[in-house]
């Protein structure tokens, strides 16, 4: 994101060195050029020259030189984009933002979309598991005991992760998901950093789906129901490119 090239071109066409600099220092004509006491270094006799013909300024005392954009950057202490905004404001030019992304931004965007699709698949998987024999016996009966109605269970995407190490991993791979995306989505774990030893993060637990503001699943919370002292009672998705705990909670 930034200012569109069209806006930058409009500013460049419209800007005038004399108009821009005389907003800051009074200019006096002498020969072809205009002169002032330099606004960048202290002086009593003018060594700061402005050439309307060349549309540049140059100080013979401190060496500062450039075009109107450079002048605004130097005197306001701002960057190129801000200088364009400043000049657009001066000349009443509407600033158009450029919607095109850099290749890096585009790649990150594509990755976030892939993660959301994988998380959506996992949500569907966990929700479906709740209707299996194991899911009904353990997960659904837990939700019912806690007073969750079928409508609430459906609305909040409550689900169940089956017992086993690779139920989700295998189903997702069969559906065409890459393991690296599942890993980045926080759905699977990797033992000792070994890509050949990947397994489901959520196992043998009831699943609470966490959604973003547009209602897409971005993470899961999970509670174990069996008495396994080696397992924490609650676990959650880690932070991922689509799940920042501080934003959601
Ligand atoms: Zn100077």
């Amino acid at each position: 994101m930034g200012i569109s090239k069209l806006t930058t071109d409009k500013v460049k066409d419209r800007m005038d060195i004399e108009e821009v600099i005389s907003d800051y220092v009074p200019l006096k004509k002498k020969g072809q050029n205009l002169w002032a006491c330099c606004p960048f270094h202290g002086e009593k006799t003018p060594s700061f020259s402005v050439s309307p013909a060349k549309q540049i300024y140059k100080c013979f005392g401190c060496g500062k030189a450039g075009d109107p954009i450079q002048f605004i950057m130097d005197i306001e202490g701002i960057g190129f984009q801000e200088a364009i905004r400043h000049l657009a404001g001066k000349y009443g030019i509407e600033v158009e933002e450029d919607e095109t992304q850099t290749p890096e931004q585009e790649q990150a965007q594509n990755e976030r979309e892939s993660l959301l699709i994988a998380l959506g698949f996992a949500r569907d998987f966990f929700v479906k598991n709740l209707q299996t024999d194991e899911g009904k016996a353990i997960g659904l009966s837990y939700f019912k005991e806690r007073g969750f109605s079928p409508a609430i269970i459906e609305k909040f995407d409550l689900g169940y992760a089956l017992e086993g190490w690779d139920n989700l991993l295998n189903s997702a791979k069969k559906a065409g998901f890459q393991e690296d995306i599942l890993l980045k989505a926080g759905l699977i774990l990797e033992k000792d950093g070994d890509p050949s030893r990947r397994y489901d993060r959520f196992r043998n637990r009831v699943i609470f789906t966490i959604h973003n503001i547009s209602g897409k699943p971005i993470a899961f919370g999970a509670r174990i129901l069996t008495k396994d002292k080696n397992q924490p009672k609650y676990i959650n998705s880690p932070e991922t490119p689509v799940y920042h705990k501080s934003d959601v909670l």
Side-chain angles (χ1 to χ4, degrees), residues 37-43 47-48 58-64:
C37 285
C38 178
F40 300 112
H41 82 278
E43 63 176 4
S47 52
F48 182 86
K58 181 175 168 76
C59 175
F60 293 94
C62 67
K64 289 258 189 212

Side-chain angles (χ1 to χ4, degrees), residues 30-140:
K30 202 167 78 183
Q32 294 294 308
N33 292 342
L34 303 155
W35 294 83
C37 285
C38 178
F40 300 112
H41 82 278
E43 63 176 4
K44 291 203 174 92
T45 50
S47 52
F48 182 86
S49 77
V50 173
S51 165
K54 293 182 187 157
Q55 287 290 307
I56 54 167
Y57 65 95
K58 181 175 168 76
C59 175
F60 293 94
C62 67
K64 289 258 189 212
D67 66 358
I69 299 168
Q70 187 64 51
F71 180 82
I72 294 297
M73 289 167 69
D74 285 345
I75 201 140
E76 297 285 348
I78 56 180
F80 179 84
Q81 298 259 326
E82 287 85 342
I84 295 291
R85 279 182 209 283
H86 180 101
L87 289 167
K90 172 176 169 60
Y91 289 114
I93 294 165
E94 194 184 337
V95 175
E96 239 182 41
E97 302 293 335
D98 189 354
E99 303 288 341
T100 57
Q101 296 177 319
T102 65
E104 290 78 19
Q105 288 171 322
E106 206 169 307
Q107 201 183 350
Q109 177 65 24
N110 288 342
E111 187 185 271
R112 282 195 296 274
E113 277 164 19
S114 299
L115 296 182
L116 289 173
I117 294 168
L119 289 157
F121 176 86
R123 183 267 319 270
D124 293 345
F125 185 75
F126 293 140
V127 165
K128 247 185 274 166
N129 285 343
L130 203 55
Q131 304 305 330
T132 62
D133 289 343
E134 183 188 336
K136 278 182 192 163
I138 303 171
L140 201 55

